[in-house]
Amino acid sequence: MRRWLNASPAKVYAAWTDPKRLAQWWGPGAPEDMRVIELDVRVGGAFHVGFEFQGERHDVHGEYREVVENEKLVFSWFWKSTAERVSQVTVKTRPDGDGCMLTLIHEQLYDEAARLGHTRGWTASLNKMERLFVREDVR
């Protein structure tokens, strides 16, 4: 997935690595539905994010495999409910005009249903991120 964002690579990177920023755009619900339980952004560091959605609790975990400030994050990804299904997410940012081009690759997904579900989820979350930066630009 690729998305042009009205923000610098540093602001986009912060949206992935600062717990308060992450809660503003990640996941299906409102920021108050998000729980950033752990976000240790360093190689070998872990993350754990949880949320309530349609009456169910969802928790995702992973470990950072590569961290290049303002440029790249690579991390493992697994849901608590299916911990044996570990996939990998790569997020890259680069300057593009007055903004930033974000590239997100989620690979090694278990099956087609998982790919489709994650594509829907990432699309919705990136839409929220895009709106977040539009609102910030207006201020």
Side-chain angles (χ1 to χ4, degrees), residues 2-5 7-9 12 70-71 92-97 99-103:
R2 293 178 52 146
R3 184 73 59 107
W4 185 87
L5 298 165
S8 68
V12 174
N70 301 331
E71 293 180 22
K92 298 178 187 178
T93 59
R94 66 172 173 78
D96 188 329
C100 169
M101 182 59 70
L102 179 139
T103 302

Side-chain angles (χ1 to χ4, degrees), residues 66-95:
E66 187 175 348
V67 176
V68 181
E69 189 172 358
N70 301 331
E71 293 180 22
K72 186 176 184 182
L73 294 168
V74 179
F75 48 91
S76 61
W77 175 279
F78 65 91
W79 295 98
K80 181 179 179 182
S81 59
T82 53
E84 72 283 359
R85 297 180 184 180
V86 179
S87 55
Q88 179 171 288
V89 177
T90 301
V91 179
K92 298 178 187 178
T93 59
R94 66 172 173 78

Side-chain angles (χ1 to χ4, degrees), residues 104-120:
L104 185 147
I105 302 164
H106 195 155
E107 56 194 331
Q108 302 167 356
L109 289 160
Y110 181 73
D111 58 16
E112 184 65 10
R115 186 189 70 75
L116 291 171
H118 284 87
T119 297
R120 281 191 304 273

Side-chain angles (χ1 to χ4, degrees), residues 22-139:
L22 184 69
Q24 291 179 313
W25 66 269
W26 196 88
E32 56 272 11
D33 299 328
M34 294 298 306
R35 299 292 177 261
V36 181
I37 298 149
E38 182 175 12
L39 202 60
D40 184 6
V41 185
R42 62 180 174 83
V43 174
F47 77 88
H48 174 188
V49 179
F51 59 91
E52 297 280 335
F53 184 66
Q54 296 179 341
E56 292 184 22
R57 173 80 182 174
H58 301 273
D59 288 273
V60 66
H61 301 261
E63 181 178 300
Y64 292 95
R65 297 174 172 167
E66 187 175 348
V67 176
V68 181
E69 189 172 358
N70 301 331
E71 293 180 22
K72 186 176 184 182
L73 294 168
V74 179
F75 48 91
S76 61
W77 175 279
F78 65 91
W79 295 98
K80 181 179 179 182
S81 59
T82 53
E84 72 283 359
R85 297 180 184 180
V86 179
S87 55
Q88 179 171 288
V89 177
T90 301
V91 179
K92 298 178 187 178
T93 59
R94 66 172 173 78
D96 188 329
D98 292 336
C100 169
M101 182 59 70
L102 179 139
T103 302
L104 185 147
I105 302 164
H106 195 155
E107 56 194 331
Q108 302 167 356
L109 289 160
Y110 181 73
D111 58 16
E112 184 65 10
R115 186 189 70 75
L116 291 171
H118 284 87
T119 297
R120 281 191 304 273
W122 285 122
T123 298
S125 288
L126 293 179
N127 288 344
K128 287 169 59 177
M129 179 187 276
E130 187 173 11
R131 289 190 300 272
L132 172 69
F133 291 127
V134 169
R135 284 195 309 271
E136 286 183 351
D137 190 49
V138 171
R139 288 184 213 166

